[in-house]
């Protein structure tokens, strides 16, 4: 369709665009429309390029601000699933007496540490910093695991099962260096040797409750609780 453009100046023009011809105004509107169409086409093309990109490649967009505003750049990062690794720390009598945690570690294919091997545990965590680490500690082993984590050796999941000690780590730092901290607390009132040992050792009881992501109480005794939750 042929469009006729008037070149008669000031033809019925509003006062705010005085001295501008009607033809000039129409030309300006056409230019604005053209720019909008170009911007729309560019956005469509960039979006199509992004959707058709190789899935294992990072594509720097022509207009990064556009993608950034929609949170697309974050999704461009290649998502590599981390290898999951397990570590277990037994209590004071675990390796020499009942072997509860040591046996669970063998069954689960995890690495086992005794409660007095904090330095070795810290080194192992650092070696596996690019993996997904799940660290489980029982009794004095729970204290060892939490203490190592509190010193900046980060883990994805920390599980402390009825931990005991008289000198406790900084719970705030334990929480800060754990992706998730689950604490199990035995509230058993049964008079047994294992419960007595736990009490003498310095039960943490509910002390971690306001710091751990999950604080779970159980009626199971000091060792039996590990058979259910040291995983």
């Amino acid at each position: 369709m042929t469009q006729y453009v008037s070149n008669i100046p000031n033809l019925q023009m509003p006062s705010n665009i005085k001295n501008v011809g009607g033809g000039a105004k129409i030309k300006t509107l056409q230019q604005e429309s053209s720019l909008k169409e170009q911007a729309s086409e560019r956005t469509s093309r960039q979006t199509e390029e992004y959707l058709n990109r190789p899935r294992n490649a990072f594509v720097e967009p022509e207009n990064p601000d556009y993608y950034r505003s929609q949170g697309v750049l974050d999704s461009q990062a290649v998502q590599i699933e981390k290898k999951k690794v397990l570590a277990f720390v037994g209590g004071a009598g675990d390796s020499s007496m009942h072997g509860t945690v040591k046996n669970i570690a063998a069954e689960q294919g995890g690495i086992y540490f005794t409660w007095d091997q904090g330095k070795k545990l810290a080194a192992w965590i650092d070696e596996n910093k690019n993996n997904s680490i799940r660290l489980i500690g029982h009794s004095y082993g729970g204290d060892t695991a939490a203490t190592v984590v509190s010193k900046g050796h980060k883990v994805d999941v920390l599980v402390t099962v009825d931990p005991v000690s008289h000198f406790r780590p900084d719970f705030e730092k334990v929480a800060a260096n754990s992706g998730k901290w689950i604490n199990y607390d035995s509230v058993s009132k049964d008079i047994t040797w294992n419960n007595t040992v736990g009490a003498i050792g310095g039960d943490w009881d509910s002390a971690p409750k306001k710091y751990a992501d999950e604080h779970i109480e159980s009626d199971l005794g000091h060792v039996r609780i590990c058979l259910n939750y040291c995983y």
Side-chain angles (χ1 to χ4, degrees):
M1 177 183 294
T2 304
Q3 184 175 12
Y4 294 92
V5 179
S6 171
N7 289 316
I8 302 174
N10 303 322
L11 179 62
Q12 296 179 347
M13 299 305 293
S15 60
N16 62 337
I17 55 172
K18 189 177 181 180
N19 298 323
V20 178
K25 179 183 177 184
I26 294 175
K27 184 177 181 180
T28 299
L29 292 174
Q30 289 176 332
Q31 289 174 339
E32 291 177 353
S33 177
S34 176
L35 289 173
K36 289 180 180 179
E37 290 177 359
Q38 292 175 15
S40 177
E41 291 174 359
R42 183 167 58 253
T43 296
S44 298
R45 175 168 51 80
Q46 291 171 343
T47 302
E48 184 177 356
E49 289 175 354
Y50 168 74
L51 293 174
N52 295 327
R53 79 195 190 288
R55 294 304 180 187
N56 62 345
F58 180 92
V59 179
E60 181 63 29
E62 185 176 317
N63 183 3
D65 290 334
Y66 169 76
Y67 290 110
R68 192 174 291 111
S69 66
Q70 299 188 40
V72 177
L73 281 178
D74 290 340
S75 68
Q76 281 189 301
V78 179
Q79 299 298 318
I80 301 175
E81 185 176 355
K82 291 183 178 181
K83 177 184 177 182
K84 296 180 180 179
V85 292
L86 279 170
F88 296 82
V89 189
D94 187 84
S95 61
S96 59
M97 297 173 65
H98 51 81
T100 302
V101 178
K102 189 174 184 179
N103 292 335
I104 293 174
E107 292 171 1
Q108 296 295 314
I111 187 169
Y112 175 78
F113 298 91
T114 57
W115 68 276
D116 56 352
Q117 291 182 316
K119 290 183 178 180
K120 289 185 178 181
L121 174 62
W124 180 85
I125 291 174
D126 293 345
E127 290 172 2
N128 285 275
K129 63 183 180 181
N130 293 323
N131 295 324
S132 178
I133 301 173
R134 185 180 182 91
L135 175 60
I136 302 101
H138 171 244
S139 191
Y140 271 121
D143 172 70
T144 299
T147 298
V148 169
V149 169
S150 73
K151 294 180 179 179
H153 304 280
K154 298 183 178 182
V155 298
D156 294 87
V157 180
L158 171 66
V159 181
T160 49
V161 183
D162 207 29
V164 304
S165 66
H166 292 286
F167 301 98
R168 298 169 183 177
D170 186 326
F171 290 150
E172 287 188 0
K173 292 182 178 179
V174 175
N177 290 301
S178 305
K180 183 176 184 179
W181 179 15
I182 307 171
N183 183 68
Y184 292 96
D185 175 26
S186 171
V187 294
S188 172
K189 302 300 181 183
D190 296 339
I191 301 176
T192 65
W193 169 253
N194 290 325
N195 286 353
T196 301
V197 169
I200 294 173
D203 278 333
W204 287 7
D205 294 325
S206 61
K209 187 173 184 177
K210 70 176 184 178
Y211 303 96
D213 296 283
E214 295 182 32
H215 177 84
I216 302 169
E217 295 182 347
S218 170
D219 291 329
L220 297 173
H222 182 62
V223 172
R224 188 172 294 276
I225 192 175
C226 188
L227 293 172
N228 282 55
Y229 300 117
C230 285
Y231 294 95

